[in-house]
Amino acid sequence: MGGYSTSRRIMVLEQLLPRGISDSGVIAAMGRVPRHFFVDEALWPLAYSDTPLMIAGGQTISQPYIVALMSELIRARPGMRVLEIGTGSGYQAAVLAEMGLEVYSVEFLRELHISAAALLRKLDYQRVRLKLGDGTLGWPEQAPFERIMVTAGGRDIPEPLLEQLADPGILVMPAGSRKRLQQLVTLRKENGRLIRENKGSVSFVDLVGRHGW
Ligand code: SAH
C-alpha cells in the first residue's frame, strides 16, 4: 500500500523485536499499517523512525515501540471490543483494527477527528467507529468494553472508564501527577477486583476534559 513496506519490516526488526514485543497479532499489524499516511507528507521519510512525530493541533503520534507496547499490554484477541481515547491521527486505531478488534475511538479535537475519519475510510478500516467528544467520559452508549486504551496522559484513570470496562477486562493508560511524565499503567478487572501495575515511564501529551487536566 503506497510503498514503504521495507521500512515497515525494518521498523519491526530493529525497534520492536529486540525490545521484546512478541505478540504475533501486534507484530503483523505493525507490519501492515501504512504509518506514513498518518503524518504530514513532509514527514514521510521519518514515518518509520524510532520517534514520536508531530500531527495537527500540537499533538503527537507515538513512537512505533510505544504503540506496539500498549497494543501488546492489552492482551487482546480478535473480535474483542476496544475503546481508544485520543484518536489523534488514527494510527493506533488502525493498528487495533488490523489486530482484528472492534474499535471505538474518541477524539476531543474536531480537526483531528475529521482528518482521521477521512483517512481511515480511505484506507478501508471499516470496523473503526469514531466519535468527537470528551473521551474521559468514555462512550457509555457502546459500553462495556473488554479493552480500553488511553493514548494521552492524565493524572489518574477517569472514573467513567473504570465503570465502562468489562469484567474481565484490561485498561492501559499513561497516568501521573506531572504533565509529560507518566507511568504506563495497566488495570485488570477480574471478578470485581482491580489489579493495577506500572509498566515503566512514558511521556504523552495531556489528556484534557472533565476527568483530565
Ligand atoms: N493515538 C493517537 C495519538 C494520540 S495523541 C495516534 O495514534 O495518532 C493524544 C490525543 O488525545 C490527541 O489527539 C488529543 O487531542 C487527544 N485527547 C486529549 N484529551 C482527550 C479527551 N478528553 N478525549 C478525547 N481525546 C483526547
Side-chain angles (χ1 to χ4, degrees):
M1 205 188 278
Y4 288 101
S5 63
T6 306
S7 307
R8 280 198 289 284
R9 261 201 303 281
I10 294 171
M11 173 187 83
V12 169
L13 288 173
E14 293 186 350
Q15 299 171 39
L16 308 189
L17 301 179
R19 292 176 180 144
I21 299 297
S22 63
D23 182 320
S24 57
V26 173
I27 291 165
M30 299 283 299
R32 278 197 297 266
V33 179
R35 178 171 162 99
H36 57 287
F37 285 132
F38 294 84
V39 296
D40 192 274
E41 201 163 341
L43 293 177
W44 282 14
L46 289 177
Y48 298 93
S49 304
D50 194 11
T51 177
L53 292 168
M54 294 303 294
I55 55 175
Q59 306 300 323
T60 55
I61 172 172
S62 295
Q63 178 190 3
Y65 169 66
I66 296 296
V67 172
L69 177 63
M70 291 179 83
S71 303
E72 178 161 287
L73 285 172
I74 59 171
R75 299 199 213 162
R77 287 184 302 281
M80 283 183 164
R81 292 159 54 81
V82 57
L83 173 66
E84 182 201 18
I85 307 306
T87 314
S89 69
Y91 176 67
Q92 174 75 70
V95 169
L96 296 168
E98 282 283 1
M99 290 165 63
L101 307 179
E102 296 292 325
V103 185
Y104 296 81
S105 182
V106 185
E107 170 58 49
F108 198 70
L109 296 178
R110 178 176 300 273
E111 179 189 10
L112 289 172
H113 166 75
I114 289 172
S115 54
L119 180 58
L120 290 169
R121 202 176 318 118
K122 189 176 114 193
L123 297 178
D124 214 22
Y125 288 108
Q126 309 284 7
R127 281 201 304 268
V128 180
R129 270 146 284 197
L130 300 178
K131 174 176 160 168
L132 176 65
D134 178 2
T136 67
L137 303 174
W139 193 334
E141 300 81 12
Q142 298 289 351
F145 300 96
E146 292 156 292
R147 301 291 186 259
I148 297 179
M149 179 184 292
V150 183
T151 62
R155 222 185 284 266
D156 210 345
I157 300 168
E159 190 63 35
L161 300 185
L162 284 181
E163 284 160 17
Q164 292 171 36
L165 182 64
D167 186 348
I170 302 178
L171 175 151
V172 61
M173 168 177 168
S177 53
R178 279 174 60 189
K179 290 191 174 193
R180 298 278 169 158
L181 178 64
Q182 303 95 13
Q183 275 290 315
L184 198 51
V185 172
T186 60
L187 190 93
R188 277 184 298 138
K189 198 188 265 191
E190 261 175 39
N191 301 318
R193 288 199 314 144
L194 295 174
I195 303 146
R196 188 176 170 134
E197 283 179 64
N198 286 350
K199 300 291 181 179
S201 301
V202 287
S203 178
F204 275 77
V205 295
D206 296 346
L207 178 71
V208 297
R210 173 97 66 87
H211 302 273
W213 289 106

